[in-house]
Amino acid sequence: MELPVNAFKHAIAAGRPQIGLWSSIPSNYTVEVIAGAGFDWILLDTEHSPNDLESVFSQLQAAAGYPQTSAIVRVPWSDQVILKRYLDAGVQTVLIPFVSTAEEARAAVSYTRYPPKGVRGVGGTTRATRFGRVRDYTKHVERELCVLVQVETKRGLDEIEAICAVDGVDGVFIGPADLHASLGYTGETGNPDVLPLIDDAIRRIRAAGKAPGVLTPVESLARRWLDCGALFVAVGADVGVLARGAEALAQRFKA
Ligand SMILES: O=C(O)C(=O)[C@@H](O)[C@@H](O)[C@H](O)CO
């Protein structure tokens, strides 16, 4: 059996913008609903959601039936054990939060690499190897592995070029909410003093030869950041789509 191809990784490497949806609902049912909606990727969030490895495992299986939509998992922290377990579950694209220095980026990448390049522990009969059926998995896995790190602090903004220069970092995601908080605008995601910094960060990441990413449910901002050169943009979140859609429907009859 061949190693599954990571279409998302190759698309951003080729400079083809990828449009995604954030998913925080811990359900394989809703993930399958979204996976057939037409997005290029779906982000399975384990940082700001009740998701855990077991719920994400079933969501990966649900999404696997929709090859046109790539599943990306945001781990709750840059941690050797956490990353080992999600990679063994068959995750091929990981988003790692709160990376602010090149050293932190190198550590994050090392958690995704087998020795001698890194410290990922070797498990044989995992879902990642399709239970021992993928030939020479440990030798080829890196080819289809995509590591995305989140820059979402002032220090991270200052270090963007150094972070992009780390071998094994495929993309850099700007976290608007935490970046605003780091700059003193906690609770905001559209401050006029911060938006130009995100514009500039996206341009700097692209100029450094890496894929810039971001999340915003505001269409004008999504298009603004695509124009700046963003290559993976989440244009909404499942919880937001469900909550606002349900409220709007209720209002049509209950107003
Ligand atoms: O904005 C941030 O900071 C992020 O990391 C976000 O993109 C997500 O945490 C988002 O807020 C989840 O809904």
Side-chain angles (χ1 to χ4, degrees), residues 36-68:
F39 292 103
D40 300 310
W41 55 285
I42 179 173
L43 187 287
L44 309 180
D45 191 13
T46 69
E47 183 188 11
H48 290 295
S49 82
N51 268 323
D52 58 18
L53 179 61
E54 192 166 351
S55 63
V56 165
F57 199 97
S58 66
Q59 293 167 32
L60 291 170
Q61 293 172 314
Y66 300 81
Q68 74 280 8

PDB file of all heavy atoms in Angstrom, residues 36-68:
ATOM      1  N   GLY A  36     -17.980  17.210   2.792  1.00  0.00           N
ATOM      2  CA  GLY A  36     -18.597  17.133   1.457  1.00  0.00           C
ATOM      3  C   GLY A  36     -19.076  18.479   0.936  1.00  0.00           C
ATOM      4  O   GLY A  36     -19.715  18.561  -0.106  1.00  0.00           O
ATOM      5  N   ALA A  37     -18.753  19.560   1.672  1.00  0.00           N
ATOM      6  CA  ALA A  37     -19.316  20.885   1.330  1.00  0.00           C
ATOM      7  C   ALA A  37     -18.549  21.587   0.215  1.00  0.00           C
ATOM      8  O   ALA A  37     -19.034  22.568  -0.350  1.00  0.00           O
ATOM      9  CB  ALA A  37     -19.353  21.768   2.578  1.00  0.00           C
ATOM     10  N   GLY A  38     -17.294  21.148  -0.041  1.00  0.00           N
ATOM     11  CA  GLY A  38     -16.535  21.776  -1.127  1.00  0.00           C
ATOM     12  C   GLY A  38     -15.307  22.563  -0.691  1.00  0.00           C
ATOM     13  O   GLY A  38     -14.688  23.234  -1.523  1.00  0.00           O
ATOM     14  N   PHE A  39     -14.955  22.510   0.614  1.00  0.00           N
ATOM     15  CA  PHE A  39     -13.736  23.196   1.061  1.00  0.00           C
ATOM     16  C   PHE A  39     -12.505  22.389   0.667  1.00  0.00           C
ATOM     17  O   PHE A  39     -12.585  21.170   0.487  1.00  0.00           O
ATOM     18  CB  PHE A  39     -13.783  23.401   2.589  1.00  0.00           C
ATOM     19  CG  PHE A  39     -14.834  24.387   3.036  1.00  0.00           C
ATOM     20  CD1 PHE A  39     -16.028  23.947   3.588  1.00  0.00           C
ATOM     21  CD2 PHE A  39     -14.627  25.749   2.893  1.00  0.00           C
ATOM     22  CE1 PHE A  39     -17.009  24.851   3.991  1.00  0.00           C
ATOM     23  CE2 PHE A  39     -15.595  26.667   3.299  1.00  0.00           C
ATOM     24  CZ  PHE A  39     -16.781  26.222   3.845  1.00  0.00           C
ATOM     25  N   ASP A  40     -11.368  23.089   0.567  1.00  0.00           N
ATOM     26  CA  ASP A  40     -10.106  22.404   0.275  1.00  0.00           C
ATOM     27  C   ASP A  40      -9.559  21.721   1.525  1.00  0.00           C
ATOM     28  O   ASP A  40      -8.807  20.747   1.425  1.00  0.00           O
ATOM     29  CB  ASP A  40      -9.059  23.415  -0.210  1.00  0.00           C
ATOM     30  CG  ASP A  40      -9.494  24.144  -1.474  1.00  0.00           C
ATOM     31  OD1 ASP A  40      -9.908  23.455  -2.424  1.00  0.00           O
ATOM     32  OD2 ASP A  40      -9.447  25.397  -1.498  1.00  0.00           O
ATOM     33  N   TRP A  41      -9.872  22.278   2.706  1.00  0.00           N
ATOM     34  CA  TRP A  41      -9.376  21.690   3.945  1.00  0.00           C
ATOM     35  C   TRP A  41     -10.353  21.957   5.079  1.00  0.00           C
ATOM     36  O   TRP A  41     -11.197  22.851   5.000  1.00  0.00           O
ATOM     37  CB  TRP A  41      -7.981  22.235   4.302  1.00  0.00           C
ATOM     38  CG  TRP A  41      -7.834  23.732   4.407  1.00  0.00           C
ATOM     39  CD1 TRP A  41      -7.786  24.625   3.363  1.00  0.00           C
ATOM     40  CD2 TRP A  41      -7.685  24.516   5.601  1.00  0.00           C
ATOM     41  NE1 TRP A  41      -7.629  25.915   3.841  1.00  0.00           N
ATOM     42  CE2 TRP A  41      -7.551  25.877   5.207  1.00  0.00           C
ATOM     43  CE3 TRP A  41      -7.640  24.217   6.968  1.00  0.00           C
ATOM     44  CZ2 TRP A  41      -7.374  26.907   6.131  1.00  0.00           C
ATOM     45  CZ3 TRP A  41      -7.465  25.240   7.891  1.00  0.00           C
ATOM     46  CH2 TRP A  41      -7.338  26.565   7.464  1.00  0.00           C
ATOM     47  N   ILE A  42     -10.240  21.154   6.096  1.00  0.00           N
ATOM     48  CA  ILE A  42     -11.039  21.312   7.306  1.00  0.00           C
ATOM     49  C   ILE A  42     -10.069  21.195   8.483  1.00  0.00           C
ATOM     50  O   ILE A  42      -9.215  20.306   8.523  1.00  0.00           O
ATOM     51  CB  ILE A  42     -12.161  20.254   7.410  1.00  0.00           C
ATOM     52  CG1 ILE A  42     -12.960  20.420   8.704  1.00  0.00           C
ATOM     53  CG2 ILE A  42     -11.633  18.840   7.256  1.00  0.00           C
ATOM     54  CD1 ILE A  42     -14.179  19.510   8.779  1.00  0.00           C
ATOM     55  N   LEU A  43     -10.150  22.134   9.398  1.00  0.00           N
ATOM     56  CA  LEU A  43      -9.255  22.155  10.549  1.00  0.00           C
ATOM     57  C   LEU A  43      -9.967  21.499  11.734  1.00  0.00           C
ATOM     58  O   LEU A  43     -11.003  21.995  12.177  1.00  0.00           O
ATOM     59  CB  LEU A  43      -8.877  23.612  10.888  1.00  0.00           C
ATOM     60  CG  LEU A  43      -7.815  23.911  11.948  1.00  0.00           C
ATOM     61  CD1 LEU A  43      -8.299  23.654  13.372  1.00  0.00           C
ATOM     62  CD2 LEU A  43      -6.509  23.207  11.665  1.00  0.00           C
ATOM     63  N   LEU A  44      -9.436  20.395  12.210  1.00  0.00           N
ATOM     64  CA  LEU A  44      -9.997  19.714  13.389  1.00  0.00           C
ATOM     65  C   LEU A  44      -9.253  20.262  14.604  1.00  0.00           C
ATOM     66  O   LEU A  44      -8.076  19.958  14.821  1.00  0.00           O
ATOM     67  CB  LEU A  44      -9.808  18.201  13.250  1.00  0.00           C
ATOM     68  CG  LEU A  44     -10.296  17.589  11.918  1.00  0.00           C
ATOM     69  CD1 LEU A  44     -10.055  16.079  11.911  1.00  0.00           C
ATOM     70  CD2 LEU A  44     -11.760  17.917  11.641  1.00  0.00           C
ATOM     71  N   ASP A  45      -9.952  21.092  15.388  1.00  0.00           N
ATOM     72  CA  ASP A  45      -9.276  21.840  16.453  1.00  0.00           C
ATOM     73  C   ASP A  45      -9.300  21.079  17.776  1.00  0.00           C
ATOM     74  O   ASP A  45     -10.365  20.677  18.259  1.00  0.00           O
ATOM     75  CB  ASP A  45      -9.949  23.209  16.640  1.00  0.00           C
ATOM     76  CG  ASP A  45      -9.134  24.127  17.541  1.00  0.00           C
ATOM     77  OD1 ASP A  45      -7.943  23.805  17.809  1.00  0.00           O
ATOM     78  OD2 ASP A  45      -9.670  25.143  17.989  1.00  0.00           O
ATOM     79  N   THR A  46      -8.132  20.868  18.363  1.00  0.00           N
ATOM     80  CA  THR A  46      -8.073  20.256  19.698  1.00  0.00           C
ATOM     81  C   THR A  46      -7.561  21.260  20.729  1.00  0.00           C
ATOM     82  O   THR A  46      -7.364  20.884  21.898  1.00  0.00           O
ATOM     83  CB  THR A  46      -7.141  19.020  19.706  1.00  0.00           C
ATOM     84  OG1 THR A  46      -5.782  19.452  19.538  1.00  0.00           O
ATOM     85  CG2 THR A  46      -7.526  18.031  18.635  1.00  0.00           C
ATOM     86  N   GLU A  47      -7.334  22.530  20.303  1.00  0.00           N
ATOM     87  CA  GLU A  47      -6.875  23.542  21.278  1.00  0.00           C
ATOM     88  C   GLU A  47      -8.056  24.224  21.947  1.00  0.00           C
ATOM     89  O   GLU A  47      -8.156  24.265  23.174  1.00  0.00           O
ATOM     90  CB  GLU A  47      -5.980  24.583  20.604  1.00  0.00           C
ATOM     91  CG  GLU A  47      -5.435  25.602  21.616  1.00  0.00           C
ATOM     92  CD  GLU A  47      -4.702  26.781  21.007  1.00  0.00           C
ATOM     93  OE1 GLU A  47      -4.754  26.967  19.769  1.00  0.00           O
ATOM     94  OE2 GLU A  47      -4.077  27.531  21.782  1.00  0.00           O
ATOM     95  N   HIS A  48      -8.947  24.791  21.140  1.00  0.00           N
ATOM     96  CA  HIS A  48     -10.104  25.509  21.695  1.00  0.00           C
ATOM     97  C   HIS A  48     -11.379  24.726  21.374  1.00  0.00           C
ATOM     98  O   HIS A  48     -12.241  25.198  20.624  1.00  0.00           O
ATOM     99  CB  HIS A  48     -10.175  26.920  21.114  1.00  0.00           C
ATOM    100  CG  HIS A  48      -9.086  27.827  21.602  1.00  0.00           C
ATOM    101  ND1 HIS A  48      -8.970  28.223  22.906  1.00  0.00           N
ATOM    102  CD2 HIS A  48      -8.053  28.394  20.957  1.00  0.00           C
ATOM    103  CE1 HIS A  48      -7.918  29.018  23.046  1.00  0.00           C
ATOM    104  NE2 HIS A  48      -7.339  29.127  21.883  1.00  0.00           N
ATOM    105  N   SER A  49     -11.474  23.507  21.871  1.00  0.00           N
ATOM    106  CA  SER A  49     -12.660  22.673  21.623  1.00  0.00           C
ATOM    107  C   SER A  49     -12.621  21.477  22.575  1.00  0.00           C
ATOM    108  O   SER A  49     -11.589  21.211  23.191  1.00  0.00           O
ATOM    109  CB  SER A  49     -12.624  22.144  20.176  1.00  0.00           C
ATOM    110  OG  SER A  49     -11.793  20.999  20.115  1.00  0.00           O
ATOM    111  N   PRO A  50     -13.751  20.770  22.692  1.00  0.00           N
ATOM    112  CA  PRO A  50     -13.749  19.548  23.525  1.00  0.00           C
ATOM    113  C   PRO A  50     -13.119  18.349  22.808  1.00  0.00           C
ATOM    114  O   PRO A  50     -13.067  17.258  23.351  1.00  0.00           O
ATOM    115  CB  PRO A  50     -15.250  19.276  23.755  1.00  0.00           C
ATOM    116  CG  PRO A  50     -15.981  20.477  23.258  1.00  0.00           C
ATOM    117  CD  PRO A  50     -15.099  21.122  22.240  1.00  0.00           C
ATOM    118  N   ASN A  51     -12.585  18.554  21.613  1.00  0.00           N
ATOM    119  CA  ASN A  51     -11.966  17.446  20.884  1.00  0.00           C
ATOM    120  C   ASN A  51     -10.795  16.827  21.639  1.00  0.00           C
ATOM    121  O   ASN A  51     -10.042  17.516  22.320  1.00  0.00           O
ATOM    122  CB  ASN A  51     -11.430  17.924  19.518  1.00  0.00           C
ATOM    123  CG  ASN A  51     -12.446  17.758  18.403  1.00  0.00           C
ATOM    124  OD1 ASN A  51     -13.197  16.778  18.378  1.00  0.00           O
ATOM    125  ND2 ASN A  51     -12.482  18.711  17.491  1.00  0.00           N
ATOM    126  N   ASP A  52     -10.660  15.512  21.455  1.00  0.00           N
ATOM    127  CA  ASP A  52      -9.474  14.815  21.969  1.00  0.00           C
ATOM    128  C   ASP A  52      -9.042  13.810  20.902  1.00  0.00           C
ATOM    129  O   ASP A  52      -9.640  13.738  19.817  1.00  0.00           O
ATOM    130  CB  ASP A  52      -9.765  14.125  23.303  1.00  0.00           C
ATOM    131  CG  ASP A  52     -10.917  13.115  23.200  1.00  0.00           C
ATOM    132  OD1 ASP A  52     -11.249  12.697  22.057  1.00  0.00           O
ATOM    133  OD2 ASP A  52     -11.485  12.768  24.247  1.00  0.00           O
ATOM    134  N   LEU A  53      -8.016  13.010  21.203  1.00  0.00           N
ATOM    135  CA  LEU A  53      -7.477  12.106  20.185  1.00  0.00           C
ATOM    136  C   LEU A  53      -8.548  11.137  19.688  1.00  0.00           C
ATOM    137  O   LEU A  53      -8.675  10.894  18.488  1.00  0.00           O
ATOM    138  CB  LEU A  53      -6.286  11.326  20.746  1.00  0.00           C
ATOM    139  CG  LEU A  53      -5.623  10.314  19.798  1.00  0.00           C
ATOM    140  CD1 LEU A  53      -5.075  11.014  18.561  1.00  0.00           C
ATOM    141  CD2 LEU A  53      -4.503   9.565  20.517  1.00  0.00           C
ATOM    142  N   GLU A  54      -9.361  10.659  20.620  1.00  0.00           N
ATOM    143  CA  GLU A  54     -10.367   9.661  20.225  1.00  0.00           C
ATOM    144  C   GLU A  54     -11.424  10.283  19.299  1.00  0.00           C
ATOM    145  O   GLU A  54     -11.787   9.715  18.269  1.00  0.00           O
ATOM    146  CB  GLU A  54     -11.047   9.071  21.464  1.00  0.00           C
ATOM    147  CG  GLU A  54     -11.878   7.835  21.154  1.00  0.00           C
ATOM    148  CD  GLU A  54     -12.265   7.079  22.425  1.00  0.00           C
ATOM    149  OE1 GLU A  54     -11.752   7.425  23.508  1.00  0.00           O
ATOM    150  OE2 GLU A  54     -13.069   6.129  22.317  1.00  0.00           O
ATOM    151  N   SER A  55     -11.882  11.506  19.631  1.00  0.00           N
ATOM    152  CA  SER A  55     -12.909  12.116  18.759  1.00  0.00           C
ATOM    153  C   SER A  55     -12.300  12.477  17.405  1.00  0.00           C
ATOM    154  O   SER A  55     -12.940  12.300  16.361  1.00  0.00           O
ATOM    155  CB  SER A  55     -13.504  13.353  19.433  1.00  0.00           C
ATOM    156  OG  SER A  55     -12.527  14.368  19.635  1.00  0.00           O
ATOM    157  N   VAL A  56     -11.051  12.960  17.423  1.00  0.00           N
ATOM    158  CA  VAL A  56     -10.398  13.323  16.154  1.00  0.00           C
ATOM    159  C   VAL A  56     -10.147  12.078  15.311  1.00  0.00           C
ATOM    160  O   VAL A  56     -10.270  12.116  14.078  1.00  0.00           O
ATOM    161  CB  VAL A  56      -9.085  14.091  16.425  1.00  0.00           C
ATOM    162  CG1 VAL A  56      -8.210  14.170  15.179  1.00  0.00           C
ATOM    163  CG2 VAL A  56      -9.410  15.495  16.930  1.00  0.00           C
ATOM    164  N   PHE A  57      -9.845  10.954  15.961  1.00  0.00           N
ATOM    165  CA  PHE A  57      -9.591   9.715  15.216  1.00  0.00           C
ATOM    166  C   PHE A  57     -10.809   9.374  14.348  1.00  0.00           C
ATOM    167  O   PHE A  57     -10.688   9.121  13.141  1.00  0.00           O
ATOM    168  CB  PHE A  57      -9.308   8.575  16.204  1.00  0.00           C
ATOM    169  CG  PHE A  57      -8.609   7.383  15.591  1.00  0.00           C
ATOM    170  CD1 PHE A  57      -7.234   7.233  15.694  1.00  0.00           C
ATOM    171  CD2 PHE A  57      -9.325   6.409  14.902  1.00  0.00           C
ATOM    172  CE1 PHE A  57      -6.588   6.127  15.146  1.00  0.00           C
ATOM    173  CE2 PHE A  57      -8.687   5.313  14.341  1.00  0.00           C
ATOM    174  CZ  PHE A  57      -7.318   5.170  14.463  1.00  0.00           C
ATOM    175  N   SER A  58     -11.999   9.456  14.939  1.00  0.00           N
ATOM    176  CA  SER A  58     -13.207   9.118  14.149  1.00  0.00           C
ATOM    177  C   SER A  58     -13.497  10.195  13.108  1.00  0.00           C
ATOM    178  O   SER A  58     -14.043   9.914  12.039  1.00  0.00           O
ATOM    179  CB  SER A  58     -14.413   8.953  15.083  1.00  0.00           C
ATOM    180  OG  SER A  58     -14.745  10.179  15.687  1.00  0.00           O
ATOM    181  N   GLN A  59     -13.108  11.439  13.408  1.00  0.00           N
ATOM    182  CA  GLN A  59     -13.301  12.516  12.418  1.00  0.00           C
ATOM    183  C   GLN A  59     -12.370  12.333  11.221  1.00  0.00           C
ATOM    184  O   GLN A  59     -12.761  12.581  10.072  1.00  0.00           O
ATOM    185  CB  GLN A  59     -13.077  13.872  13.082  1.00  0.00           C
ATOM    186  CG  GLN A  59     -14.126  14.226  14.136  1.00  0.00           C
ATOM    187  CD  GLN A  59     -13.714  15.406  14.989  1.00  0.00           C
ATOM    188  OE1 GLN A  59     -13.035  16.310  14.537  1.00  0.00           O
ATOM    189  NE2 GLN A  59     -14.116  15.375  16.255  1.00  0.00           N
ATOM    190  N   LEU A  60     -11.148  11.863  11.481  1.00  0.00           N
ATOM    191  CA  LEU A  60     -10.217  11.579  10.375  1.00  0.00           C
ATOM    192  C   LEU A  60     -10.799  10.488   9.471  1.00  0.00           C
ATOM    193  O   LEU A  60     -10.718  10.563   8.239  1.00  0.00           O
ATOM    194  CB  LEU A  60      -8.867  11.140  10.924  1.00  0.00           C
ATOM    195  CG  LEU A  60      -8.040  12.205  11.655  1.00  0.00           C
ATOM    196  CD1 LEU A  60      -6.850  11.561  12.357  1.00  0.00           C
ATOM    197  CD2 LEU A  60      -7.569  13.291  10.687  1.00  0.00           C
ATOM    198  N   GLN A  61     -11.383   9.477  10.099  1.00  0.00           N
ATOM    199  CA  GLN A  61     -11.987   8.395   9.313  1.00  0.00           C
ATOM    200  C   GLN A  61     -13.171   8.900   8.496  1.00  0.00           C
ATOM    201  O   GLN A  61     -13.352   8.522   7.341  1.00  0.00           O
ATOM    202  CB  GLN A  61     -12.419   7.255  10.252  1.00  0.00           C
ATOM    203  CG  GLN A  61     -11.236   6.545  10.911  1.00  0.00           C
ATOM    204  CD  GLN A  61     -11.673   5.551  11.971  1.00  0.00           C
ATOM    205  OE1 GLN A  61     -12.530   5.861  12.811  1.00  0.00           O
ATOM    206  NE2 GLN A  61     -11.091   4.354  11.962  1.00  0.00           N
ATOM    207  N   ALA A  62     -13.946   9.823   9.085  1.00  0.00           N
ATOM    208  CA  ALA A  62     -15.104  10.377   8.362  1.00  0.00           C
ATOM    209  C   ALA A  62     -14.641  11.211   7.166  1.00  0.00           C
ATOM    210  O   ALA A  62     -15.176  11.118   6.063  1.00  0.00           O
ATOM    211  CB  ALA A  62     -15.938  11.232   9.313  1.00  0.00           C
ATOM    212  N   ALA A  63     -13.595  12.016   7.390  1.00  0.00           N
ATOM    213  CA  ALA A  63     -13.119  12.906   6.318  1.00  0.00           C
ATOM    214  C   ALA A  63     -12.413  12.138   5.209  1.00  0.00           C
ATOM    215  O   ALA A  63     -12.365  12.599   4.059  1.00  0.00           O
ATOM    216  CB  ALA A  63     -12.179  13.962   6.915  1.00  0.00           C
ATOM    217  N   ALA A  64     -11.898  10.948   5.542  1.00  0.00           N
ATOM    218  CA  ALA A  64     -11.123  10.172   4.551  1.00  0.00           C
ATOM    219  C   ALA A  64     -11.944   9.813   3.321  1.00  0.00           C
ATOM    220  O   ALA A  64     -11.405   9.613   2.232  1.00  0.00           O
ATOM    221  CB  ALA A  64     -10.569   8.910   5.203  1.00  0.00           C
ATOM    222  N   GLY A  65     -13.259   9.806   3.486  1.00  0.00           N
ATOM    223  CA  GLY A  65     -14.133   9.479   2.350  1.00  0.00           C
ATOM    224  C   GLY A  65     -14.298  10.620   1.362  1.00  0.00           C
ATOM    225  O   GLY A  65     -14.977  10.476   0.345  1.00  0.00           O
ATOM    226  N   TYR A  66     -13.679  11.775   1.658  1.00  0.00           N
ATOM    227  CA  TYR A  66     -13.831  12.969   0.817  1.00  0.00           C
ATOM    228  C   TYR A  66     -12.439  13.491   0.466  1.00  0.00           C
ATOM    229  O   TYR A  66     -11.974  14.477   1.047  1.00  0.00           O
ATOM    230  CB  TYR A  66     -14.662  14.024   1.553  1.00  0.00           C
ATOM    231  CG  TYR A  66     -16.045  13.513   1.905  1.00  0.00           C
ATOM    232  CD1 TYR A  66     -16.234  12.708   3.032  1.00  0.00           C
ATOM    233  CD2 TYR A  66     -17.141  13.768   1.084  1.00  0.00           C
ATOM    234  CE1 TYR A  66     -17.485  12.196   3.351  1.00  0.00           C
ATOM    235  CE2 TYR A  66     -18.388  13.261   1.405  1.00  0.00           C
ATOM    236  CZ  TYR A  66     -18.558  12.470   2.529  1.00  0.00           C
ATOM    237  OH  TYR A  66     -19.798  11.961   2.841  1.00  0.00           O
ATOM    238  N   PRO A  67     -11.756  12.845  -0.474  1.00  0.00           N
ATOM    239  CA  PRO A  67     -10.340  13.186  -0.751  1.00  0.00           C
ATOM    240  C   PRO A  67     -10.138  14.616  -1.232  1.00  0.00           C
ATOM    241  O   PRO A  67      -9.033  15.139  -1.183  1.00  0.00           O
ATOM    242  CB  PRO A  67      -9.933  12.164  -1.825  1.00  0.00           C
ATOM    243  CG  PRO A  67     -11.201  11.616  -2.380  1.00  0.00           C
ATOM    244  CD  PRO A  67     -12.231  11.716  -1.296  1.00  0.00           C
ATOM    245  N   GLN A  68     -11.203  15.281  -1.698  1.00  0.00           N
ATOM    246  CA  GLN A  68     -11.021  16.663  -2.161  1.00  0.00           C
ATOM    247  C   GLN A  68     -10.874  17.629  -0.987  1.00  0.00           C
ATOM    248  O   GLN A  68     -10.540  18.810  -1.171  1.00  0.00           O
ATOM    249  CB  GLN A  68     -12.187  17.098  -3.054  1.00  0.00           C
ATOM    250  CG  GLN A  68     -13.500  17.373  -2.316  1.00  0.00           C
ATOM    251  CD  GLN A  68     -14.287  16.112  -1.978  1.00  0.00           C
ATOM    252  OE1 GLN A  68     -13.808  14.986  -2.164  1.00  0.00           O
ATOM    253  NE2 GLN A  68     -15.502  16.277  -1.446  1.00  0.00           N
TER     254      GLN A  68
END
